Amino acid sequence: MQIYREEHRVFRQAVRKFIEKEMIPYLDQWEEKGEFPREMWSRLGRQGYLCPWLPEDLGGIGADFEYSVIIAEELSRIDSGIGISLHSDIVAPYIFSYGQLEQKVRWLPQCATGELILAIAMTEPNAGSDLQGIQTTALKRGDEYVINGQKTFISNGMVADLIIVVAKTDPKAQPAYKGLSLLAVPADTPGLSRRKLQKMGLHLVDTAELFFEDCRVPKTHLLGEEGKGFFYLMEKLPQERLLSALFSQSLAESMLEDALNYARERKAFGRAIGDFQHNAFKLAEMATEVQLGRTFLDDLIAQHIAGKDIAVRVAMAKWWISEMANRVAYHALQLHGGYGYMEEYSISRRFRSIRAHSIFAGTTEVMKMIIARQMGLSGF
Ligand SMILES: Cc1cc2nc3c(=O)[nH]c(=O)nc-3n(C[C@H](O)[C@H](O)[C@H](O)COP(=O)(O)OP(=O)(O)OC[C@H]3O[C@@H](n4cnc5c(N)ncnc54)[C@H](O)[C@@H]3O)c2cc1C
């Protein structure tokens, strides 16, 4: 299905050029520091690459979802680009869809300029796959909510200025998910502290633990209605999973390209290593799997743009493409021999980064539960 028009192709060229000139030359330096410079957020904002889908009166350019896809695909070339898509296409939509006009006007234009960076905090030390186990509470006291609890593994958690926190506003609700709500918590609110976690890859997206101790936000920071948090998550998670599948797919394509280039150049026993039948077949298998992923993904992107319900199919794409990309990572690194294990080769960075994709935004196993349930199988 054709999803791109000429203006999309022109836009892709511009994004690619920007990334090649302004980001790729500095990647090693940023990786070493383990930080994506704050200044880059403003520059991405000035280019119109943050939340481009927002209407003009909220600071965007009213772009269709294809533009977000293009930005995400191009950003995948810096491996850790997912932190930017998380801000633009995963968290900002919660404010846009469920926020009051006053909340949208207050926060969204700054999200488009990069002055306000977003994160979403669902996971807790004892509640990851099973969000119904969330223990963080946000209890109403007068005109405020008082938040107590802990979140973990929060992407952009250190750099974020505003964090959408999933908390229990009604701890007695049965079933528990009916007591969950979304609250927008400014990062400088007293009672909120954060700690950066060290992780094996994705070094340009910080990951944090958040601690809430009598952290008070005005009642006006509730997003949407009380008790609807879980439903809002269910509505927005398909787009999050689509973007995660997209990053996995783009990474798989980059790793295949790395492997093919290397296999053509590297010589052993007097021949290019790609000319040994074993390696040629391995590359042919990788290319086939990568192509399968691309076909599935592009179809899903088109379905999503057309407004179709993709919840189950995106679960299929999310688990399969992320696992496929991990297989590609394994074989692409193997083809690089010892060089593949060295930091200066991009395959080693990509090998580490791709590992997270079968875990966040719902693990492979959780995706299979969603699919199995739709097939009428229960018992989980
Ligand atoms: C790099 C990174 C970034 C992240 N960013 C964010 C973020 O921005 N915001 C956020 O809220 N969270 C974030 N997460 C958290 C992520 O969503 C969770 O780690 C994930 O949902 C899994 O939860 P868990 O780690 O608690 O694992 P658990 O839920 O404890 O699962 C452990 C293992 O058991 C399996 N399992 C669980 N239940 C079942 C079952 N019923 N049947 C079979 N197997 C099962 C899981 O698949 C997994 O393999 C991030 C995680 C990582 C690694």
Side-chain angles (χ1 to χ4, degrees), residues 206-362:
D206 76 66
T207 304
E209 258 183 319
L210 311 177
F211 305 91
F212 299 89
E213 284 174 75
D214 288 335
C215 172
R216 291 164 186 272
V217 290
K219 253 179 11 185
T220 52
H221 283 221
L222 176 74
L223 278 188
E225 289 177 42
E226 252 194 33
K228 290 273 175 72
F230 193 75
F231 300 98
Y232 298 153
L233 295 176
M234 292 305 113
E235 271 179 5
K236 294 291 175 203
L237 278 170
Q239 180 157 310
E240 175 168 350
R241 290 175 182 150
L242 184 63
L243 284 156
S244 172
L246 183 157
F247 269 86
S248 294
Q249 178 64 32
S250 301
L251 272 168
E253 288 166 2
S254 302
M255 292 186 288
L256 173 63
E257 198 184 313
D258 286 346
L260 191 55
N261 288 337
Y262 192 80
R264 283 185 179 128
E265 282 164 19
R266 177 74 176 168
K267 304 271 188 310
F269 300 96
R271 298 160 75 177
I273 56 162
D275 286 338
F276 293 111
Q277 192 188 49
H278 170 84
N279 296 338
F281 278 16
K282 193 49 79 189
L283 283 158
E285 286 167 15
M286 287 155 73
T288 308
E289 288 207 277
V290 167
Q291 183 59 54
L292 279 169
R294 174 49 71 186
T295 307
F296 191 7
L297 182 72
D298 280 352
D299 182 55
L300 268 182
I301 292 170
Q303 303 281 334
H304 186 56
I305 289 168
K308 302 264 169 61
D309 177 1
I310 58 163
V312 176
R313 295 184 71 215
V314 82
M316 293 175 177
K318 203 262 169 199
W319 84 257
W320 191 84
I321 296 176
S322 65
E323 299 283 339
M324 176 274 286
N326 272 285
R327 285 193 292 279
V328 169
Y330 179 87
H331 295 299
L333 194 147
Q334 187 70 15
L335 273 165
H336 279 74
Y339 292 99
Y341 203 67
M342 298 299 129
E343 204 52 44
E344 58 206 85
Y345 279 75
S346 52
I347 188 63
S348 80
R349 186 144 72 211
R350 289 175 172 155
F351 179 89
R352 287 189 267 110
S353 295
I354 195 62
R355 194 63 192 85
H357 282 264
S358 55
I359 297 170
F360 57 39

Side-chain angles (χ1 to χ4, degrees), residues 120-123 128-129 153-155 199 356 359-361 363 365 369:
I120 184 153
M122 300 175 245
T123 307
S129 300
F153 308 146
I154 308 308
S155 305
K199 58 188 186 308
I359 297 170
F360 57 39
T363 62
E365 294 72 25
M369 280 165 64

Side-chain angles (χ1 to χ4, degrees), residues 31-76:
E31 272 281 326
E32 214 167 294
K33 280 179 84 179
E35 249 179 54
F36 183 67
R38 177 91 206 197
E39 213 269 317
M40 276 312 296
W41 286 90
S42 317
R43 297 183 63 185
L44 286 161
R46 281 200 292 278
Q47 293 294 123
Y49 298 163
L50 298 178
C51 309
W53 52 271
L54 280 172
E56 284 182 28
D57 56 355
L58 289 174
I61 51 171
D64 49 41
F65 187 65
E66 287 89 327
Y67 286 84
S68 293
V69 169
I70 290 168
I71 294 169
E73 281 180 347
E74 295 303 318
L75 279 172
S76 75

